[in-house]
Amino acid sequence: MDNNKTESYFTTMVKSKPNKKLTTLPALGMDADSISDSFRHYFAHTLGRNGDAYTIHYPYKALSYAIRDRLMERWLKTQKAYTEADCKRTYYLSLEFLMGRALGNAMLNLDVTDSTTDGLHDLGIELEEVAESEADAGLGNGGLGRLAACFLDSCATLQLPVQGYGIRYEYGMFRQLLENGYQVEEPDHWLRDGNPWEMERPEYTQRIPFGGHTEFVRDEQGISHVRWVDTHDVLAVPYDIPIPGYRNGTVNTLRLWQAAATDEFDLDEFNAGSYTEAVRSKNSAENITMVLYPNDASECGKELRLKQQYFLACASIKDALRDWKRRKGNDLTGFAEKNCFQLNDTHPTIAVAELMRQLIDKHDMDWDEAWAITQKTMAYTNHTLLPEALERWPVRLFKQLLPRPLEIIYEINARFLGEVAARWPGETDRQRRLSIIEEGPEPQVRMAYLAIIGSFSVNGVAELHSKLLVEGLFRDFYELWPEKFNNKTNGVTQRRWLAYCNPGLRQLISDSIGEGWISDLDQLHKLIPFAKDPEFRKKWYQVKQENKQRLAEMIEPCCGVRFNTDAMFDVQVKRIHEYKRQLLNILHVIHLYARIKAGDTKNWTPRCVLIGGKAAPGYAQAKLIIKLINNVASVVNRDKQVGDLLKVVFLPNYRVSAMEVICPGTDLSEQISTAGKEASGTGNMKFMMNGALTIGTLDGANIEIREEVGDEHFFLFGLTEQEVGEARRSYNPQGIIRNDANLGRVISLLETGHFNQFEPGIFDPILNAILSPQDPWMVAADFTSYVQAQERAADAYRDQDAWITSSILNTACSGKFSTDRTMQDYNREIWQMQAVAAYPVE
Ligand code: 26Q
């Protein structure tokens, strides 16, 4: 620690000879009796509960501790194995880790689900009820945060020394309620009842500076140094969460930082006699990690968010350097060969400047040496093509909060622009375009540019996305450094997203092809021949029906609507955003309703449409789309003439644990973004893996999904990315409406207020958006082709034999979309680490 004031906050570390006795314990049993014994120990002795009356929370806690103990021994061994192997490590820096629930996942990976079920059963307790009482760890918005969680799972399974660094938000993603069809947000105080999955590690607390100013000082040799002084410091206290690999004895770490006030008083306040004011100011420090920003696609420009970003970057880099010095002493040569920082979007990108600062100001390195290390250790992943989502921070704010990192950014920029000028002499316009600082009345720091300049690798998250990045947003940088740019197509972990969430299908698959697919998803290819087997298809159908039943049972109490499992379950769950076009989906629902009302129901396929997702609290148009979905649902679901031909619901509070029930019970997966806007999508992969067919545009990873499964098992529609660009120039929604009677009928139902009889005019902003020639999302442009694709899907569904065949093939061809493959790609081409086994075999 670079300030002994911090050290006094905690007990000083005891230094003694290595003492093996302290940590050598007999391995804990994994059988039903051992687990039941541990469970009762925690329930009665630690938690002090008795068996006559208790809330479900206590069995949950007792079981979590029992399972955690079994992770702990493996965790210690894994960390020891990494130290002994002296291996290269990667740090995954992310403002979001959307972990969901931990208990079921830990039991699956430790292979104790069956023994635990039995052990608890003997005590008269149902495991399922216990596991259901766990709150989701919702420390993320959506795709990017869940991707980070899947990455950690795969790295532990592949025995890669990857550690996650994130923030321990006191409040995670808000809970979504509906009032009169409108989204209402409620705080998610997920830590209220304690979190058995975290270990506080106060001994690794770091001190994070903010504010103040910089000054030059000369040392005895006359060399000048910069000091960042008069700072207001905040402590970063780490909490570690175990990340178990799949049955391999490896347990990696997710380290989450929580802000705490230093115990130093503000002297001015104190001297002014204001003791209570001085104590109160602890709040402002602790506010830093209070809440996750629920904003998933636009930068918000809030000071507190920038503080969060620096807090994470500074604490994590200090921690990585501390660990290096613990193992290797003060010599930092070789650091770049043994460490890598993967930046999850631009959110932690201030780490580029912060690593430079720590190397130069704290480790006395010269600029060139520090820059060489930085450029060899930083790698950046981009997750968006929307220009409005590219992070920018006002220079003014930066200067106030982070004066020293800002100076370093200026210096990085000056040297970089020098290179640009040398390569393209006289091209001042190019220099202006490439500058990290965007000039204007309010100059801004472009975080993506800092990330590209400071990294040796820049990747997109699906083939199309990576291609569009180098052709568009980052074109100038690609011209300069083509070798930096690469693609890493996203994935999802099949442990959570098939083995754990779909036990019926897991059993059927494993009975047919063995269990190898759980750690080698390409083995699902072995299912292909089974698609021809009528007996197998029948079993596949039965599993799907059971999963649809389970989903229907989740929906009914929340939405008051009963889904008939004979109908096609048509699902779109994801963040609500105009580019994802939930609006197009609901327009199609209105079209189906209009057909029913017109008696046009020959060869009808009954459908149950499920839509779910959260809107950013400040995103009015997205919130209005939720209201429209709910209003349409209440008209459709009440209509006797519609009956079971069509049902529509908006499921409130979509989250990881809801998806675990939704994706196994889905027939048709809606992936309908405007082409070129969805970087990848990962929900699309979860659905495919669970045997849903996709209706989708040529966008993000949809393209690769269709390539893998074959176009006859995918319902394609819509303009391509290139066609979107061309059509935009003369886009005329009114003309399209005149030429498509179906769309005309839908629009007039909206215009006449059919879905808002007592709320006149509320949907005008939606109508205006559809009718505008400037509509960036081109909803009207794709309507006709979408309806046709929906008709193909409906017809296909009526041939159940063919549908099930396609369903099997979707699962069988989903091997590419495992994050195991994604992580192997990252490791081969970016991180270049050796795997390290903690146990020889387990
Ligand atoms: C930025 C600044 C200030 C406040 C919030 C944010 C912010 C937070 C979260 C901006 C963006 C996000 C999340 C983005 C995200 O989830 N992107 C998705 O990433 C997935 C994983 O790569 C892709 O599959 C999706 O296509 C992409 O939309």
Side-chain angles (χ1 to χ4, degrees):
M1 238 162 286
D2 61 342
N3 187 318
N4 53 15
K5 277 187 197 154
T6 312
E7 192 130 15
S8 67
Y9 184 75
F10 300 96
T11 323
T12 314
M13 289 266 210
V14 175
K15 292 200 182 90
S16 66
K17 286 195 222 104
N19 183 350
K20 273 223 165 86
K21 275 195 205 154
L22 270 177
T23 46
T24 330
L25 283 161
L28 295 166
M30 309 293 268
D31 55 293
D33 286 342
S34 306
I35 290 173
S36 156
D37 285 349
S38 297
F39 172 85
R40 282 178 295 168
H41 161 74
Y42 285 113
F43 186 79
H45 293 164
T46 304
L47 300 170
R49 305 294 135 173
N50 80 56
D52 302 335
Y54 55 85
T55 63
I56 194 68
H57 173 68
Y58 293 100
Y60 160 69
K61 244 190 175 161
L63 181 59
S64 298
Y65 287 138
I67 300 297
R68 193 183 81 173
D69 285 353
R70 284 147 177 88
L71 292 175
M72 202 61 71
E73 33 183 295
R74 290 162 177 79
W75 205 357
L76 288 167
K77 283 205 182 155
T78 304
Q79 300 319 311
K80 191 158 164 277
Y82 290 165
T83 303
E84 282 168 5
D86 189 23
C87 52
K88 182 170 183 182
R89 293 150 195 252
T90 292
Y91 302 102
Y92 198 78
L93 266 54
S94 177
L95 272 281
E96 308 192 3
F97 287 91
L98 192 41
M99 303 299 286
R101 291 174 177 157
L103 176 59
N105 184 250
M107 291 189 300
L108 171 73
N109 285 9
L110 287 172
D111 196 13
V112 294
T113 312
D114 291 344
S115 54
T116 305
T117 307
D118 296 346
L120 290 189
H121 196 80
D122 289 345
L123 303 174
I125 294 172
E126 289 307 316
L127 174 57
E128 210 182 291
E129 195 192 347
V130 175
E132 270 296 306
S133 75
E134 181 175 355
D136 278 38
L139 307 186
N141 273 285
L144 164 150
R146 182 55 228 178
L147 186 75
C150 286
F151 279 9
L152 294 183
D153 180 88
S154 283
C155 289
T157 295
L158 295 165
Q159 307 195 299
L160 294 172
V162 172
Q163 184 172 313
Y165 276 121
I167 290 181
R168 182 178 182 269
Y169 300 106
E170 192 86 28
Y171 292 87
M173 189 62 197
F174 65 81
R175 188 168 319 112
Q176 179 191 52
L177 305 178
L178 294 176
E179 277 175 20
N180 183 31
Y182 287 102
Q183 166 176 303
V184 173
E185 301 90 20
E186 255 192 5
D188 164 44
H189 198 191
W190 72 294
L191 292 167
R192 193 189 48 198
D193 301 325
N195 175 10
W197 300 102
E198 64 185 14
M199 291 282 286
E200 189 183 354
R201 300 245 185 252
E203 64 275 31
Y204 300 137
T205 296
Q206 295 291 354
R207 205 180 169 90
I208 316 300
F210 288 101
H213 57 96
T214 62
E215 59 187 31
F216 280 99
V217 287
R218 249 173 230 292
D219 63 18
E220 302 89 71
Q221 284 95 50
I223 303 168
S224 75
H225 300 267
V226 177
R227 290 202 315 162
W228 181 5
V229 296
D230 293 340
T231 53
H232 296 274
D233 296 353
V234 175
L235 299 181
V237 183
Y239 288 73
D240 287 356
I241 296 177
I243 309 292
Y246 183 71
R247 299 183 187 177
N248 62 5
T250 290
V251 178
N252 281 344
T253 304
L254 168 59
R255 179 159 284 182
L256 300 179
W257 298 102
Q258 175 170 55
T262 63
D263 272 350
E264 300 132 31
F265 277 140
D266 183 318
L267 277 185
D268 294 338
E269 270 172 5
F270 193 64
N271 291 338
S274 182
Y275 166 79
T276 45
E277 278 307 298
V279 174
R280 217 165 63 95
S281 71
K282 278 163 73 80
N283 275 333
S284 84
E286 281 157 14
N287 272 339
I288 292 180
T289 54
M290 196 57 72
V291 59
L292 166 79
Y293 277 94
N295 223 319
D296 78 317
S298 59
E299 51 125 351
C300 58
K302 290 276 188 306
E303 173 176 330
L304 188 62
R305 169 77 179 181
L306 184 57
K307 278 191 177 171
Q308 291 181 340
Q309 297 184 351
Y310 182 68
F311 175 82
L312 169 66
C314 177
S316 308
I317 287 175
K318 280 190 170 185
D319 193 55
L321 288 170
R322 175 197 56 73
D323 192 54
W324 173 270
K325 289 187 283 184
R326 170 183 73 84
R327 292 179 288 117
K328 306 258 192 185
N330 284 338
D331 185 4
L332 287 167
T333 44
F335 183 83
E337 285 65 47
K338 289 279 174 76
N339 294 280
C340 186
F341 296 95
Q342 188 72 41
L343 307 174
N344 198 17
D345 216 301
T346 50
H347 316 155
T349 286
I350 188 65
V352 169
E354 178 59 14
L355 180 57
M356 288 298 286
R357 182 184 80 83
Q358 290 184 30
L359 294 177
I360 294 171
D361 295 357
K362 303 286 169 192
H363 294 87
D364 280 333
M365 218 173 256
D366 67 35
W367 181 278
D368 291 331
E369 201 186 341
W371 185 239
I373 288 179
T374 302
Q375 266 198 327
K376 269 190 238 164
T377 51
M378 294 284 166
Y380 156 56
T381 305
N382 172 284
H383 298 264
T384 185
L385 282 158
L386 307 180
E388 67 270 28
L390 284 188
E391 251 189 303
R392 288 174 167 78
W393 291 101
V395 168
R396 179 186 42 78
L397 185 63
F398 239 97
K399 196 176 175 101
Q400 232 177 59
L401 223 53
L402 305 168
R404 179 58 183 149
L406 180 64
E407 281 176 5
I408 290 172
I409 291 172
Y410 279 145
E411 182 67 22
I412 293 171
N413 198 38
R415 289 172 186 243
F416 167 67
L417 292 180
E419 267 182 63
V420 174
R423 166 98 186 253
W424 291 285
E427 291 195 30
T428 50
D429 192 55
R430 192 187 288 266
Q431 288 182 46
R432 188 188 49 72
R433 278 204 317 265
L434 287 171
S435 173
I436 298 175
I437 308 298
E438 180 181 278
E439 295 301 340
E442 168 88 84
Q444 310 265 334
V445 182
R446 296 159 159 158
M447 299 307 277
Y449 291 12
L450 178 61
I452 297 171
I453 295 164
S455 300
F456 66 91
S457 165
V458 178
N459 75 280
V461 290
E463 276 166 19
L464 175 69
H465 170 232
S466 298
K467 176 176 100 92
L468 295 175
L469 277 184
V470 300
E471 289 174 359
L473 275 183
F474 298 156
R475 192 194 178 120
D476 290 321
F477 288 99
Y478 180 61
E479 234 184 285
L480 192 56
W481 296 310
E483 68 286 350
K484 275 195 194 188
F485 290 82
N486 62 91
N487 172 248
K488 295 286 167 284
T489 297
N490 281 168
V492 303
T493 169
Q494 71 268 30
R495 266 82 57 191
R496 182 175 294 260
W497 296 114
L498 184 52
Y500 167 71
C501 74
N502 196 343
L505 204 59
R506 171 195 177 176
Q507 192 65 49
L508 177 57
I509 294 170
S510 296
D511 287 347
S512 318
I513 64 168
E515 287 199 334
W517 59 273
I518 301 179
S519 48
D520 175 14
L521 201 62
D522 279 327
Q523 290 190 27
L524 288 179
H525 269 138
K526 297 188 213 160
L527 285 174
I528 292 174
F530 287 89
K532 292 208 180 77
D533 173 355
E535 269 306 300
F536 185 82
R537 284 204 299 261
K538 195 169 154 205
K539 291 183 191 155
W540 192 272
Y541 169 80
Q542 282 164 350
V543 171
K544 183 58 88 178
Q545 287 304 109
E546 285 160 21
N547 288 332
K548 288 169 77 169
Q549 187 61 37
R550 194 155 62 105
L551 175 52
E553 283 163 14
M554 178 173 90
I555 290 169
E556 195 177 28
C558 303
C559 309
V561 176
R562 174 124 206 104
F563 272 15
N564 182 336
T565 57
D566 292 331
M568 177 167 85
F569 281 18
D570 168 348
V571 179
Q572 185 177 23
V573 285
K574 49 184 80 222
R575 289 301 291 262
I576 310 294
H577 203 292
E578 288 165 283
Y579 84 80
K580 296 178 187 281
R581 296 199 294 192
Q582 284 89 357
L583 180 55
L584 183 58
N585 189 345
I586 203 68
L587 294 183
H588 171 248
V589 171
I590 297 172
H591 162 70
L592 292 179
Y593 166 77
R595 273 185 61 188
I596 296 169
K597 297 307 281 180
D600 173 16
T601 55
K602 207 167 107 217
N603 294 327
W604 189 266
T605 302
R607 246 189 229 252
C608 295
V609 178
L610 169 65
I611 303 175
K614 292 172 184 176
Y619 190 170
Q621 190 78 347
K623 289 180 135 176
L624 192 57
I625 291 169
I626 294 176
K627 169 67 173 165
L628 175 62
I629 296 167
N630 281 310
N631 279 23
V632 170
S634 81
V635 170
V636 169
N637 298 335
R638 259 179 244 262
D639 191 315
K640 290 279 178 319
Q641 191 188 348
V642 173
D644 260 2
L645 295 180
L646 180 64
K647 288 278 174 271
V648 200
V649 301
F650 184 89
L651 180 77
N653 203 29
Y654 173 62
R655 61 201 185 282
V656 171
S657 60
M659 185 56 156
E660 290 165 1
V661 182
I662 294 167
C663 67
T666 295
D667 294 309
L668 186 66
S669 151
E670 299 271 350
Q671 307 300 335
I672 60 178
S673 51
T674 313
K677 300 300 175 191
E678 189 71 271
S680 162
T682 46
N684 48 3
M685 301 169 185
K686 295 164 199 165
F687 286 116
M688 180 199 200
M689 220 172 256
N690 285 277
L693 278 68
T694 304
I695 182 166
T697 49
L698 286 177
D699 200 14
N702 295 351
I703 296 172
E704 292 158 74
I705 286 177
R706 179 165 168 270
E707 251 165 44
E708 293 296 303
V709 71
D711 45 13
E712 63 281 30
H713 308 291
F714 185 109
F715 303 103
L716 180 68
F717 75 96
L719 300 177
T720 63
E721 187 274 332
Q722 192 177 359
E723 288 165 347
V724 167
E726 290 157 5
R728 224 182 263 298
R729 283 175 239 149
S730 56
Y731 184 46
N732 173 14
Q734 310 269 6
I736 295 172
I737 291 164
R738 273 195 298 279
N739 287 320
D740 183 337
N742 290 326
L743 182 53
R745 184 166 62 179
V746 169
I747 296 294
S748 65
L749 281 172
L750 284 171
E751 281 174 340
T752 55
H754 192 81
F755 303 103
N756 50 318
Q757 301 233 340
F758 303 103
E759 302 164 301
I762 59 167
F763 296 129
D764 289 356
I766 288 178
L767 274 164
N768 292 338
I770 301 170
L771 297 175
S772 163
Q774 264 73 54
D775 173 19
W777 322 113
M778 315 272 279
V779 172
D782 278 345
F783 179 85
T784 314
S785 133
Y786 181 53
V787 168
Q788 286 165 358
Q790 288 285 17
E791 281 166 11
R792 295 199 301 280
D795 291 343
Y797 192 77
R798 273 180 288 115
D799 181 350
Q800 273 291 306
D801 235 24
W803 183 276
I804 293 160
T805 303
S806 287
S807 167
I808 297 167
L809 291 175
N810 266 276
T811 302
C813 297
S814 66
K816 174 175 178 184
F817 305 106
S818 168
T819 35
D820 298 347
R821 189 271 311 148
T822 311
M823 291 296 84
Q824 282 164 324
D825 290 351
Y826 273 82
N827 191 42
R828 191 174 51 256
E829 291 161 28
I830 304 175
W831 305 335
Q832 307 194 322
M833 300 181 294
Q834 299 296 321
V836 177
Y839 287 65
V841 267
E842 174 152 301

